[in-house]
Amino acid sequence: MALQLGPVRLATNLLLAPIAGYCDLAFRTICREWGGVGLACTDLLSPEGLLRGTATSLDLARTNDFDKPVGMQLYGSDPDLMAEGARWAVEHGATVVDINMGCPVDKVTKKDGGSKLLTDLLRAAAIVERVSRALEACPLPRDEWARRLGNATLAGDGPMPVPLTCKVRLCWHTSDYEAGQACSPGLALALADAGVVAVTVHGRTTEDKFAGTVRLEGIARVVEAVNGRIPIIGNGDVRTPEDCERMIRETGCDGVMIGRGGLSKPWLFRDCWAHLHRAGLGRGAAPVELTPGEPSEAEILASVRRFFDLMRDYRDDRYALFQINRRVSWFSRSLQRELHNGKLESIKPFKEAVRNARSPAQVYDAIDRFAAGELRGGLEMQEEAAP
Ligand SMILES: Cc1cc2nc3c(=O)[nH]c(=O)nc-3n(C[C@H](O)[C@H](O)[C@H](O)COP(=O)(O)O)c2cc1C
C-alpha cells in the first residue's frame, strides 16, 4: 500500500529532506531525475518573508511543474501568520504544507519557532489547528490537483484541501529522552487530533543538534504510540540503502526522509527504492530499476553539469558559482578511482579548478578536462565532510 499524505498517494515511500541552503529547486530536480523520490520539500520558509515577497523567500519557495509533488515548509510561532503563510503556499504550488518543529538554530527557536515548539505543546497544537482550518478553507479543484501531483496520485474526488504535515525531533532535552519522557509520542497524537496527516521524526533531541547517531528507538516509540493512526516518517543518518532498510525494520516507520546522504549522492533515492523493493519494503507505484549499479563517471559529471546549468537557469551565475564551489567535493567523492594499491586517486586539481572558477565557462572547462582524464593524479589525502 502506498504511503499516503491525506489524499496524496506518493509514488515511493522516500522523501527528500529540507536542508536550508542546499535543497533548492535545482537540487530537488536533480534528485527527482535520478529517481526514487516520492516527495521533496523546500527548505524552511518564513511566512513573513513570503507574504512580504522578499527576494530570498521567493527564491526559496520557487517550484515548477516538474518539481512535484512538493512540500513547502513553514516555520514560526504565530498561528495567524502561519495560516496566512500556508494559504500563500497553496496559492503558489504546494502539494503539501509542512510545519517545522525541529529546527534547533537560535535564530528560529528564540522566536519560539522550530524545535522550541517541542516545549510548548499547546502552542504547537494551536498552530496546527489554525493552519488546518486555513487549508480547509481553500480546497483545490481536481484540475489544479492534477498540476501538482507529479508521480503521485490522488485518492478521492472533488475539491480537497492541501494536506498538512509536521517535522519534529524527539524532544528538547536529552535527559527527558533518556528518562523515557520524550514529548514526541504524545505530540504526534495531539498533532493528528489537530489535523496533521503525517509526522516526520528526526531521531535526535534538540540538544543533540546533529551530533551522535540517530536514536532509532525514539522514532519507534512514536510509531508505537500513534499505532497506525497517521503515517510516521523516520529521518536521520540514512546514507546507504542498508541504512534505509534498517530505519524501517527497527522503527516500523511508514516512510524514510533522507537529507545529507543525498547531497553527495543524489542517486541515493533511486538506490534505496531498488533496495527497499528487493527487501519487500518498497511502497508505491514508481518504476523500479532493481539493480541500478553505481553511476558511471560520465553520468556523475553529466549530473554535476546539469545541476550547475539548473542553478544558473533558476537563479543566476553568482549563485551557481557559490553553490558549486561549496558542493564540488561531496559530488566528487564518487568520482575518485581506486588505484591498484587500493588507495584513492586524488582529484584535488579538479576540485580546485571548480573552486577557483570565476565564470561558468571555467566550471565547464574543468568538467571537460576532468572527463578527458586531466586534473587528477597522486593520492587523496583528506576527506571533506558534508554538513
Ligand atoms: C545544514 C542543515 C540545514 C537543515 N535545514 C532544515 C530545514 O530547513 N528544515 C528542516 O526541517 N530540517 C532541516 N535540517 C534537518 C534535516 O532535514 C534532517 O532532519 C537532518 O539532517 C537529519 O537527516 P539526515 O541525516 O538524513 O540529513 C537541516 C539539516 C542541516 C544539516
Side-chain angles (χ1 to χ4, degrees):
M1 214 177 48
L3 170 58
Q4 199 165 321
L5 309 181
V8 181
R9 268 191 233 108
L10 300 185
T12 79
N13 46 347
L14 295 169
L15 296 85
L16 170 59
I19 302 196
Y22 295 92
C23 289
D24 58 3
L25 174 57
F27 187 67
R28 299 196 298 273
T29 302
I30 293 293
C31 292
R32 290 183 196 277
E33 286 177 351
W34 277 104
V37 175
L39 181 86
C41 194
T42 66
D43 292 340
L44 81 178
L45 304 168
S46 145
E48 293 102 316
L50 296 175
L51 296 166
R52 260 196 256 124
T54 61
T56 313
S57 294
L58 298 185
D59 278 338
L60 289 174
R62 189 161 177 174
T63 179
N64 61 22
D65 286 349
F66 181 71
D67 181 41
K68 297 289 182 290
V70 70
M72 287 196 186
Q73 189 189 60
L74 303 173
Y75 74 94
S77 60
D78 180 277
D80 288 334
L81 199 53
M82 293 290 276
E84 286 207 35
R87 234 184 331 259
W88 187 99
V90 171
E91 283 163 10
H92 292 81
T95 317
V96 172
V97 169
D98 185 74
I99 298 180
N100 182 312
M101 298 191 180
C103 181
V105 172
D106 280 356
K107 199 178 124 203
V108 171
T109 56
K110 280 201 175 131
K111 292 191 180 161
D112 297 332
S115 69
K116 194 68 193 291
L117 290 168
L118 302 177
T119 66
D120 189 349
L121 303 194
L122 288 179
R123 184 184 283 273
I127 293 172
V128 164
E129 270 168 26
R130 184 71 195 80
V131 172
S132 253
R133 260 189 285 133
L135 292 174
E136 270 158 30
C138 51
L140 298 178
R142 208 181 162 90
D143 59 338
E144 184 51 41
W145 267 115
R147 272 197 282 278
R148 44 183 97 181
L149 286 172
N151 62 1
T153 52
L154 198 62
D157 246 334
M160 277 178 288
V162 163
L164 179 62
T165 59
C166 288
K167 182 161 175 282
V168 308
R169 285 184 179 238
L170 298 174
C171 57
W172 184 285
H173 296 291
T174 302
S175 55
D176 286 346
Y177 174 78
E178 284 168 350
Q181 286 164 2
C183 64
S184 42
L187 174 63
L189 281 170
L191 296 177
D193 285 342
V196 156
V197 301
V199 172
T200 302
V201 185
H202 174 195
R204 286 189 173 83
T205 67
T206 305
E207 286 177 345
D208 285 338
K209 298 221 162 121
F210 294 95
T213 46
V214 65
R215 302 170 190 269
L216 295 183
E217 166 64 22
I219 302 175
R221 283 190 219 157
V222 181
V223 172
E224 195 186 348
V226 165
N227 194 21
R229 233 185 105 193
I230 54 169
I232 298 297
I233 296 151
N235 167 243
D237 294 357
V238 172
R239 292 183 186 269
T240 64
E242 290 73 24
D243 293 338
C244 188
E245 177 181 355
R246 194 161 75 94
M247 172 66 83
I248 295 180
R249 290 212 190 277
E250 292 193 15
T251 69
C253 66
D254 301 275
V256 178
M257 181 179 272
I258 302 173
R260 291 166 296 176
L263 293 179
S264 45
K265 293 190 173 190
W267 52 90
L268 181 59
F269 299 88
R270 176 201 71 170
D271 290 358
C272 287
W273 183 231
H275 184 83
L276 290 187
H277 262 273
R278 289 195 301 268
L281 299 170
R283 292 170 54 177
V288 190
E289 194 185 339
L290 272 178
T291 46
E294 281 297 306
S296 67
E297 182 179 297
E299 284 174 313
I300 296 171
L301 288 176
S303 193
V304 175
R305 181 186 277 272
R306 171 130 176 93
F307 180 45
F308 187 65
D309 286 344
L310 288 173
M311 290 191 291
R312 294 181 66 204
D313 280 358
Y314 296 148
R315 298 283 287 268
D316 53 43
D317 288 357
R318 216 178 112 115
Y319 176 81
L321 285 166
F322 167 72
Q323 287 286 353
I324 207 78
N325 174 320
R326 68 175 179 160
R327 297 166 81 146
V328 63
S329 57
W330 313 330
F331 269 107
S332 306
R333 222 170 292 155
S334 309
L335 289 169
Q336 284 182 305
R337 288 188 303 214
E338 235 178 70
L339 299 172
H340 53 85
N341 58 4
K343 302 239 165 79
L344 290 176
E345 181 187 42
S346 173
I347 55 167
K348 210 167 162 199
F350 170 62
K351 291 189 277 190
E352 279 179 3
V354 172
R355 286 208 192 101
N356 293 332
R358 293 290 166 264
S359 70
Q362 289 173 340
V363 173
Y364 296 125
D365 180 61
I367 295 172
D368 289 343
R369 287 177 63 199
F370 187 79
E374 297 175 45
L375 300 179
R376 49 180 118 199
L379 289 184
E380 188 66 22
M381 298 308 286
Q382 66 183 53
E383 277 273 299
E384 283 148 284

